[in-house]
Amino acid sequence: MQAIQQQQQQSAASGALAAFARFVLCGGGVGIASSFAVAASASWMPWALANALITVVSTLLATELHARFTFGAGGRATWRQHGQSAGSAAAAYGVTCVAMFALQRLVDAPGAVLEQAVYLSASALAGVARFAVLRLVVFARSRPTVAAAGRPARAADAGGLTPADATGFCRAA
């Protein structure tokens, strides 16, 4: 029994690491493409507007990629997932803004290297936190409850409906 639990923990850890790698690739790829899109768009519209528009589009795109590839949610992201993902992106933006504001208050004339170090550190911290939120909240999959015997419990054992019960409950099912 202990060996099975240890194997499940190792599998979960490797799954989380693989999901984090996909998160970095998908999010990083969208981020790099967005930086070029903002620069190109800013040539024919105000930079702030270009940044806002590209941020919205890139957040929608990244959420779809995370739903389909990073976390394997099984299809397109729902509106709820888009909203939660946008909220986590806004929180990450807030973290980087606070870090840069604090740097400006603490150091009279920070150099470019220090600014980049602070920004990238805050961004990395926010990215790890965002990954955790997306994995554990936004795209969390319902995991089967484990019965005392170590086997997945049936929905009926947990007081829920089985698929057969659901068809009787709702004729459209």
Side-chain angles (χ1 to χ4, degrees):
M1 182 69 176
Q2 188 177 10
I4 292 172
Q5 288 176 338
Q6 192 173 28
Q7 184 180 16
Q8 288 174 341
Q9 289 173 346
Q10 289 173 345
S11 176
S14 66
L17 186 60
F20 185 72
R22 290 189 301 269
F23 175 80
V24 170
L25 288 173
C26 288
V30 169
I32 290 169
S34 296
S35 69
F36 287 111
V38 168
S41 300
S43 67
W44 52 274
M45 70 174 68
W47 184 89
L49 179 60
N51 188 34
L53 290 173
I54 299 301
T55 297
V56 169
V57 171
S58 66
T59 301
L60 290 170
L61 175 61
T63 301
E64 284 297 327
L65 289 173
H66 292 320
R68 294 175 187 208
F69 304 113
T70 304
F71 301 108
R76 298 192 62 181
T78 64
W79 285 111
R80 178 190 60 81
Q81 290 169 328
H82 276 292
Q84 289 175 328
S85 179
S88 71
Y93 174 76
V95 168
T96 57
C97 286
V98 166
M100 295 308 289
F101 179 76
L103 175 65
Q104 297 300 321
R105 291 287 177 225
L106 295 173
V107 179
D108 288 333
V113 173
L114 180 58
E115 285 181 336
Q116 283 297 311
V118 169
Y119 177 79
L120 291 173
S121 297
S123 185
L125 176 67
V128 169
R130 187 162 186 256
F131 170 78
V133 167
L134 292 177
R135 181 172 167 85
L136 300 174
V137 177
V138 177
F139 297 108
R141 290 181 246 165
S142 58
R143 291 174 177 85
T145 55
V146 177
R151 62 174 173 74
R154 296 181 311 129
D157 296 340
L161 294 173
T162 64
D165 295 335
T167 57
F169 183 72
C170 176
R171 294 287 175 211

